[in-house]
Amino acid sequence: MPDPEIRMRKMVEALRENQYRITPQRLAILKVLAESKGHPSVESIYEQVKTNFPTTSLATIYKNVAVLKDLHQLLELGFSDDSNRYDGNKPYDHPHVVCTVCRKILDPDISALADMTQELTRETGFAITRHRLDFFGICPDCQARQ
Amino acid sequence: MPDPEIRMRKMVEALRENQYRITPQRLAILKVLAESKGHPSVESIYEQVKTNFPTTSLATIYKNVAVLKDLHQLLELGFSDDSNRYDGNKPYDHPHVVCTVCRKILDPDISALADMTQELTRETGFAITRHRLDFFGICPDCQARQ
DNA sequence: TTTTAATGGAAAATGATTATCAATAAATAG
DNA sequence: CTATTTATTGATAATCATTTTCCATTAAAA
Ligand SMILES: [Mn+2]
Ligand SMILES: [Mn+2]
Ligand SMILES: [Zn+2]
Ligand SMILES: [Zn+2]
């Protein structure tokens, strides 16, 4: 079974468990989130869903994103100078790499992260519970185009 | 010479070099930025400046913050769910630790950072130019109060 | 003294998100 | 399968807190 499909089932299951109704629009939104690799914005989810359900409202996307966030099935990446972006595949804190040219966002594998959090706790005495780690740069595609 | 004083001179110098006028309000803002440890918001700078210059306008703080940002003398930390915070002492990218209770922000020393950026470049092919690394948790003071 | 940047006070813009509500349709029991 | 209940949708208006703009007044620089 492909990965996005597994992920989608998981999200549907979470909705069912919490007595949310399974609507076609909802499924379309889950599909976009499960299949997307670039961390879409609400606007981008909206555009994609509209290709199958042209009458879909932007408000519906917002409402569903809020539901999935509540169910901890969605990671929200807020940007103070841009619209929020969402990760429906890894709904927990992890680092990101953001291309400053095409605005695509990727999930890198970073092994040094656990060490970093430990070093931090030791040094500051903070009880660290969350993190938000964004690296900005130019992706290989955009580098090639220049 | 104390550290904040050195920092303040540096900022005044940058203003002079770029033909900005040195006003009492401006100096007061620099002082707050140079002496502050907790990464103040515009509102917080405003409150502090008002103790010496009661007629100061909030607009003046905004305008001066913009100037200092332009001169690369100020690091802006934008939060999508809160007002911006500023670091006038280290006007370049560096990690932060944010207390989720009292909202104070500290600068930890993290040695593992350079390694992390390298690992990232190797793995993703991105040309990394900037970063924004925030760790969230509860500071020692707030832990003690609980 | 002259020039013009900076200030202060207020109003205006900003724009993504949230609220509203009538219409629709998912769930479920009979 | 049908009826009932009520969550969800779609369209639009309202919100909200910063941040920006405006402009007459003030004062820094030379
Ligand atoms: Mn991600
Ligand atoms: Mn800092
Ligand atoms: Zn790119
Ligand atoms: Zn605290």
Side-chain angles (χ1 to χ4, degrees):
Chain A
M1 196 192 306
D3 222 51
E5 208 164 312
I6 297 175
R7 182 65 198 130
M8 211 174 138
R9 287 187 193 214
K10 176 85 183 169
M11 290 194 279
V12 171
E13 192 186 332
L15 286 169
R16 276 199 218 284
E17 275 172 8
N18 294 86
Q19 288 80 47
Y20 285 98
R21 294 181 182 177
I22 309 304
T23 69
Q25 294 89 338
R26 201 156 258 174
L27 286 173
I29 292 166
L30 296 190
K31 193 158 183 285
V32 168
L33 287 170
E35 289 178 352
S36 176
K37 297 284 174 211
H39 301 76
S41 62
V42 162
E43 198 66 41
S44 157
I45 299 169
Y46 177 51
E47 295 305 331
Q48 290 178 254
V49 170
K50 270 210 293 191
T51 63
N52 288 317
F53 300 88
T55 65
T56 304
S57 169
L58 189 56
T60 297
I61 314 294
Y62 272 105
K63 281 178 275 202
N64 277 284
V65 160
V67 166
L68 292 168
K69 236 196 318 176
D70 280 351
L71 298 179
H72 305 291
Q73 294 298 318
L74 197 57
L75 178 70
E76 182 177 68
L77 300 176
F79 292 91
S80 56
D81 57 347
D82 207 349
S83 49
N84 292 353
R85 303 284 289 267
Y86 295 90
D87 189 332
N89 285 299
K90 301 167 85 179
Y92 44 82
D93 288 351
H94 58 277
H96 288 97
V97 191
V98 182
C99 177
T100 53
V101 176
C102 66
R103 301 302 291 175
K104 106 177 115 196
I105 301 178
L106 299 184
D107 292 341
D109 288 324
I110 298 190
S111 57
L113 181 55
D115 296 343
M116 208 154 153
T117 305
Q118 278 211 332
E119 184 181 353
L120 221 95
T121 302
R122 201 166 43 239
E123 200 209 291
T124 65
F126 270 62
I128 305 293
T129 53
R130 308 208 54 187
H131 62 252
R132 173 69 188 276
L133 309 179
D134 292 348
F135 292 85
F136 299 90
I138 305 180
C139 74
D141 290 352
C142 289
Q143 285 178 58
R145 266 193 277 282
Q146 280 173 355
Chain B
M1 199 191 308
D3 224 51
E5 209 166 310
I6 296 175
R7 182 65 199 130
M8 210 174 137
R9 286 186 194 214
K10 178 85 182 169
M11 290 195 278
V12 171
E13 193 186 333
L15 287 168
R16 275 199 219 284
E17 274 172 8
N18 292 276
Q19 288 78 50
Y20 285 98
R21 295 180 182 178
I22 309 303
T23 68
Q25 294 89 337
R26 200 155 259 174
L27 287 173
I29 292 167
L30 298 189
K31 194 158 183 283
V32 169
L33 287 170
E35 290 178 352
S36 176
K37 297 285 172 208
H39 301 76
S41 63
V42 162
E43 198 65 39
S44 157
I45 298 169
Y46 178 51
E47 294 305 330
Q48 290 179 254
V49 169
K50 271 209 292 190
T51 64
N52 288 316
F53 299 88
T55 65
T56 304
S57 169
L58 190 55
T60 297
I61 313 293
Y62 273 105
K63 280 178 272 202
N64 276 283
V65 159
V67 165
L68 291 169
K69 237 194 319 174
D70 280 350
L71 298 179
H72 305 290
Q73 294 298 317
L74 196 58
L75 178 70
E76 182 177 68
L77 300 176
F79 292 90
S80 56
D81 59 346
D82 207 349
S83 49
N84 292 353
R85 304 284 289 265
Y86 296 90
D87 190 333
N89 286 299
K90 301 168 86 178
Y92 44 83
D93 287 353
H94 59 277
H96 287 97
V97 191
V98 183
C99 178
T100 53
V101 176
C102 66
R103 301 303 291 176
K104 104 177 116 197
I105 302 178
L106 298 184
D107 293 340
D109 288 324
I110 298 190
S111 57
L113 181 55
D115 296 342
M116 207 155 154
T117 306
Q118 277 210 334
E119 185 181 353
L120 222 97
T121 302
R122 199 166 46 240
E123 201 209 291
T124 65
F126 270 62
I128 304 291
T129 53
R130 307 209 54 186
H131 62 252
R132 172 69 188 276
L133 309 179
D134 293 347
F135 293 86
F136 298 90
I138 305 181
C139 75
D141 290 352
C142 289
Q143 285 179 57
R145 265 194 277 282
Q146 280 173 354

